[in-house]
Amino acid sequence: MGANEEKGGTCGTIFLKYLLFTFNFLFWLAGGVVMGVGVWTLVEKSEYISLLPSKTYAASAYILVLAGAIVMVTGVLGCCATFKEQRRLLRVYFVLLLCIFLLEVLSGVLAYIYYQQLSVELKHSLRETMVKKYEQAEQDHVTRAVDKLQQEFKCCGSNRSDNWADSLWIRSARAEGRAVPDSCCKSPTAGCGARDHPSNIYRVEGGCASKLENLILDHLKIIGMVGVAIASIQVTGMVFTCCLYRSLNADTL
C-alpha cells in the first residue's frame, strides 16, 4: 500500500484531520507574527544594537526570524500532509515542529541569559563606547546611534552628563569647545553643547544606560513571551500529529 493512499477513515480520524488543519492555519499565522517580531526588533532598533556589549540580543531576534519563516513553511506542509493523509509527510512535519520548538527554546534561553547580564555589562560598555568611539573614524554608526539615543530618550551621557568629560572627541579640537554633544541639548542647534547647564542639557537619573537597559529589557520580554506562546502551540501540534498518525496506522489494519 502506498504512503499517499487515500483513506476513508473513521470519524475520529476525520475529526483529527480537520482539527490539525485548523491548527496548521493558526500555526501559519503565528509564524508570520514570530517573523514580524524578529524583523521589527532588528529594523526598529537596529542602530542601538551597535551600542550593546554582546550580540546575544541580535542573535535572539535572528533566531525568531528564522523560526518564523520555518513555521510558515511547516504550516503549509502540515496542511498537505493532513489532507493527503501521507504518513511520511506527517513524520517530516513532526520533525520540523520539533526543530522549531528547539529554536524557540534556544531563543528564550539566550534572551533570559542576556536579561540577567544586561544591567552590569551595559553601564560599563556604553560609557566606553561613548568615550572612545563617538565621532571617531569609521564609527559613524555608533555616533548616529548615540545621538539618536540621547534625543529619543532625552538623556545625556552613559550614567550622567559629565561622563562626556573623558570623551576623546570632547577633549579634541574638533569638539570646538563643547562640553557635551549637541544631541544632549533640549533644543539641539549647532554648538549648543558648549553650554553645560540644566536649562540647556538633559539631566536624567541613571543617564542613557538606564534608558537603553529598559528598552532592551522590554524587547527581551516580548521575545520571551512570543517564544513561550509559540512553543506551547507547537507542543499541541505535535500531540495532534501523533494522534492522527496513530489513527491512520489503525485504519490500515
Side-chain angles (χ1 to χ4, degrees), residues 197-245:
H197 189 273
S199 63
N200 182 51
I201 302 298
Y202 289 120
R203 300 287 174 87
V204 177
E205 185 69 27
C208 292
S210 62
K211 297 292 186 179
L212 184 57
E213 179 184 352
N214 290 335
L215 171 71
I216 300 303
L217 290 179
D218 287 343
H219 277 234
L220 288 176
K221 288 176 184 175
I222 293 173
I223 290 174
M225 287 188 294
V226 168
V228 169
I230 300 303
S232 301
I233 294 173
Q234 287 160 335
V235 171
T236 304
M238 287 188 281
V239 172
F240 287 164
T241 303
C242 288
C243 291
L244 179 58
Y245 186 84

Side-chain angles (χ1 to χ4, degrees), residues 33-50 52 55-65 107 111 114 148 215-224 226:
V33 172
V34 170
M35 189 163 58
V37 169
V39 171
W40 169 69
T41 299
L42 292 170
V43 173
E44 183 68 16
K45 305 301 178 184
S46 59
E47 290 182 322
Y48 293 152
I49 291 176
S50 63
L52 300 178
K55 301 301 181 183
T56 308
Y57 175 70
S60 297
Y62 280 118
I63 289 174
L64 279 185
V65 173
S107 178
Y114 195 53
K148 180 179 179 180
L215 171 71
I216 300 303
L217 290 179
D218 287 343
H219 277 234
L220 288 176
K221 288 176 184 175
I222 293 173
I223 290 174
V226 168

Side-chain angles (χ1 to χ4, degrees), residues 1 28 108 143 151 164 176 208 230 233-234 240:
M1 296 177 67
W28 182 82
T143 300
Q151 276 296 295
W164 283 108
E176 299 178 343
C208 292
I230 300 303
I233 294 173
Q234 287 160 335
F240 287 164

Side-chain angles (χ1 to χ4, degrees), residues 99-214:
C99 290
I100 297 167
F101 176 78
L102 294 176
L103 278 176
E104 296 290 351
V105 170
L106 176 60
S107 178
V109 169
L110 287 176
Y112 178 77
I113 291 174
Y114 195 53
Y115 186 94
Q116 301 300 314
Q117 299 174 343
L118 182 62
S119 182
V120 175
E121 290 185 0
L122 184 58
K123 289 176 181 176
H124 174 73
S125 68
L126 185 59
R127 186 178 187 281
E128 289 293 302
T129 297
M130 289 180 166
V131 166
K132 296 180 179 179
K133 295 183 178 181
Y134 187 83
E135 286 288 358
Q136 300 304 302
E138 299 182 359
Q139 297 294 336
D140 291 345
H141 63 293
V142 171
T143 300
R144 288 194 302 270
V146 170
D147 285 338
K148 180 179 179 180
L149 177 67
Q150 294 191 140
Q151 276 296 295
E152 183 174 340
F153 293 100
K154 299 178 171 33
C155 57
C156 184
S158 174
N159 303 308
R160 53 187 184 274
S161 61
D162 58 11
N163 291 152
W164 283 108
D166 297 324
S167 166
L168 296 177
W169 176 68
I170 289 294
R171 294 165 67 178
S172 70
R174 292 185 297 114
E176 299 178 343
R178 291 178 176 85
V180 295
D182 295 340
S183 57
C184 280
C185 299
K186 295 178 179 179
S187 299
T189 55
C192 66
R195 182 170 171 264
D196 185 11
H197 189 273
S199 63
N200 182 51
I201 302 298
Y202 289 120
R203 300 287 174 87
V204 177
E205 185 69 27
C208 292
S210 62
K211 297 292 186 179
L212 184 57
E213 179 184 352
N214 290 335

